[in-house]
Amino acid sequence: MGTFDYAGAFAGAIDKLHAEGRYRVFAELSRIRGKFPRALYHTDNGTREITVWCSNDYLGMGQHAAVLGAMHEALYDVGAGSGGTRNIAGTTRFHVELEQELADLHGKEAALLFNSGYMANAAGISTLARLLPGCVILSDAKNHASMIDGIRQGACERHIWKHNDLNDLERLLKAVPEGRPILIAFESVYSMDGDISPMAAICDLAERYGAITYLDEVHAVGMYGARGGGVAERDGLLDRIDVIEGTLAKAFGLMGGYLAAKATIIDAIRSHAPGFIFTTSISPVIAAGATASIRHLKASSVERRQQQKHARLLTRELQAKGLPVVDTPSHIVPVMVGDPVACKALTDRLLAEHAIYVQPINYPTVPKGTERIRLTPGPFHGELEIARLVRALDLLWGQMGLRRAA
């Protein structure tokens, strides 16, 4: 009797990805301090300087002097790591100050730190589902994988409503028996399409049907609102959102995730979520840097204004060349390719021939047939860099015979 061919199973899974054009290759990059968005690209044939066009460090805060200074100071004061979970090893003053800063940013009573935005969503949603007897979760069809994971872990009744479709959401709300707890889970900025949810109208429905709202603002915190509190702050809706989930890894330039809500909600999650209780806390060095980043962006809108200016300029220039760019209301600039193999070939040639780094966005991140590149212009992508990118894309689009805008 033969044994199972384990190696063959793994090799077959990888071969399938290659055949579908979905195999992911990680580029080895070293960001150059003080020259963002420039980076060094390392290969077996040597190292060369490139421009990064797909970073989630939207505002370049990972390079900001105030952030680096705060991190250096914390490193010399307390060392590198946190020493374990906050329950066993203790919680540092850096974590407490950061949570206070985050609660203030969103106009909430309390906040809770996690090691990533993914963990915050998975732990937060699943814990809320378990703590609310008979909970029904209504989830937008384009919610992030971390939210979907949290919903699955919560093991409660759940229904998916059509993306940003208020009529479909209300249809599902009407079907929930009176008295059952309902959680509406949605995002503000959807990162692959760059569209923004009808947040005020969702809040109206939540209040009408007695639901609580859970908002993922990871692609909006730092980017919108007078103090960088996200779309909810920009639109004056902070007091109508029950739970806000955010990240420190995008506009704030570091890593980590968090939840902000009423103190009782945060305390319940803190006390029941395995993803918080049993995980070593983020380094106090990272916490110090994140606090400095948030404080800077609360006071400064210069970075946000410059980023929005460059996003609009890039969109106009791509449209002028007839390239299939999606004109979004956000800072995200998607350019549609529609084929996984062509998308990967395009990004490979951008890097090899033009020193421009963009990652292909393929299934399962986006539906099959909607493959794209996702451009994230920042405040430091100047007009010359934008012109270089547009020229390169225009040239390759023609050489590869890719479909232009109708």
Side-chain angles (χ1 to χ4, degrees):
M1 183 175 177
T3 59
F4 183 79
D5 182 9
Y6 296 98
F10 297 131
I14 297 299
D15 289 343
K16 186 172 184 290
L17 291 178
H18 278 292
E20 295 174 355
R22 296 195 293 118
Y23 182 75
R24 299 168 190 256
V25 178
F26 296 159
E28 184 180 343
L29 305 179
S30 297
R31 302 204 303 176
I32 306 170
R33 182 171 58 87
K35 293 184 69 175
F36 185 78
R38 305 292 286 175
L40 295 177
Y41 173 46
H42 306 280
T43 69
D44 293 339
N45 297 320
T47 300
R48 62 191 178 112
E49 194 168 310
I50 62 167
T51 301
V52 177
W53 273 99
C54 55
S55 173
N56 282 343
D57 187 356
Y58 292 135
L59 301 178
M61 290 303 295
Q63 308 266 319
H64 196 280
V67 174
L68 300 183
M71 296 179 76
H72 280 295
E73 185 175 344
L75 179 65
Y76 285 116
D77 284 349
V78 301
S82 65
T85 67
R86 291 170 69 176
N87 179 51
I88 293 175
T91 192
T92 75
R93 186 64 198 166
F94 296 98
H95 294 85
V96 173
E97 287 180 350
L98 177 53
E99 287 174 340
Q100 291 171 344
E101 205 70 44
L102 289 165
D104 173 76
L105 176 67
H106 295 292
K108 300 300 182 186
E109 294 176 351
L112 188 66
L113 281 171
F114 290 83
N115 290 35
S116 70
Y118 194 107
M119 290 178 65
N121 267 336
I125 294 176
S126 62
T127 302
L128 289 170
R130 290 193 300 269
L131 293 178
L132 297 171
C135 181
V136 178
I137 295 181
L138 306 182
S139 175
D140 185 281
K142 290 194 175 182
N143 277 344
H144 190 264
S146 58
M147 301 177 78
I148 296 169
D149 194 7
I151 293 168
R152 287 172 177 163
Q153 289 182 38
C156 67
E157 183 180 339
R158 66 265 196 190
H159 302 280
I160 298 171
W161 48 289
K162 296 174 185 177
H163 178 56
N164 281 348
D165 188 324
L166 296 169
N167 291 328
D168 198 43
L169 174 59
E170 185 165 23
R171 176 184 65 82
L172 292 173
L173 285 165
K174 287 179 177 177
V176 178
E178 188 175 346
R180 289 187 68 178
I182 308 169
L183 185 148
I184 302 174
F186 63 106
E187 301 182 32
S188 56
V189 176
Y190 287 86
S191 64
M192 291 301 128
D193 294 319
D195 57 338
I196 296 176
S197 62
M199 194 180 301
I202 293 172
C203 290
D204 290 342
L205 289 174
E207 291 164 7
R208 188 180 309 160
Y209 291 94
I212 63 172
T213 47
Y214 182 104
L215 173 65
D216 179 315
E217 285 257 51
V218 296
H219 290 277
V221 291
M223 303 296 293
Y224 301 92
R227 302 195 310 154
V231 175
E233 184 198 16
R234 185 197 70 179
D235 295 351
L237 299 169
L238 286 175
D239 61 336
R240 301 182 68 191
I241 302 294
D242 294 292
V243 183
I244 292 176
E245 185 266 348
T247 185
L248 307 172
K250 293 180 172 59
F252 295 129
L254 288 109
M255 67 170 292
Y258 63 89
L259 299 171
K262 288 182 178 179
T264 50
I265 295 175
I266 292 299
D267 197 22
I269 295 172
R270 180 190 70 87
S271 302
H272 289 87
F276 174 81
I277 296 169
F278 299 105
T279 302
T280 297
S281 60
I282 64 171
S283 164
V285 178
I286 292 174
T291 299
S293 182
I294 294 164
R295 286 174 177 168
H296 174 82
L297 290 175
K298 280 181 177 178
S300 172
S301 293
V302 173
E303 294 83 1
R304 287 189 281 275
R305 287 197 299 267
Q306 192 72 352
Q307 191 284 325
Q308 288 288 342
K309 175 185 173 183
H310 289 165
R312 301 281 72 79
L313 174 61
L314 176 59
T315 299
R316 289 196 304 270
E317 293 298 314
L318 291 170
Q319 287 173 333
K321 296 293 185 182
L323 297 173
V325 59
V326 181
D327 191 357
T328 77
S330 73
H331 57 284
I332 306 295
V333 183
V335 185
M336 307 305 289
V337 178
D339 177 84
V341 176
C343 198
K344 179 67 167 61
L346 173 68
T347 57
D348 285 348
R349 290 189 63 178
L350 279 171
L351 185 58
E353 300 170 21
H354 300 276
I356 291 171
Y357 175 68
V358 184
Q359 269 291 78
I361 306 296
N362 293 335
Y363 178 84
T365 307
V366 295
K368 291 180 179 179
T370 69
E371 293 81 6
R372 69 200 66 180
I373 56 174
R374 173 184 173 274
L375 303 172
T376 55
F380 302 107
H381 287 95
E383 292 183 10
L384 290 177
E385 288 283 8
I386 290 172
R388 276 191 64 239
L389 172 65
V390 173
R391 281 196 302 270
L393 285 172
D394 185 39
L395 177 65
L396 291 175
W397 228 264
Q399 291 176 349
M400 297 176 66
L402 299 176
R403 182 178 300 175
R404 293 184 183 261

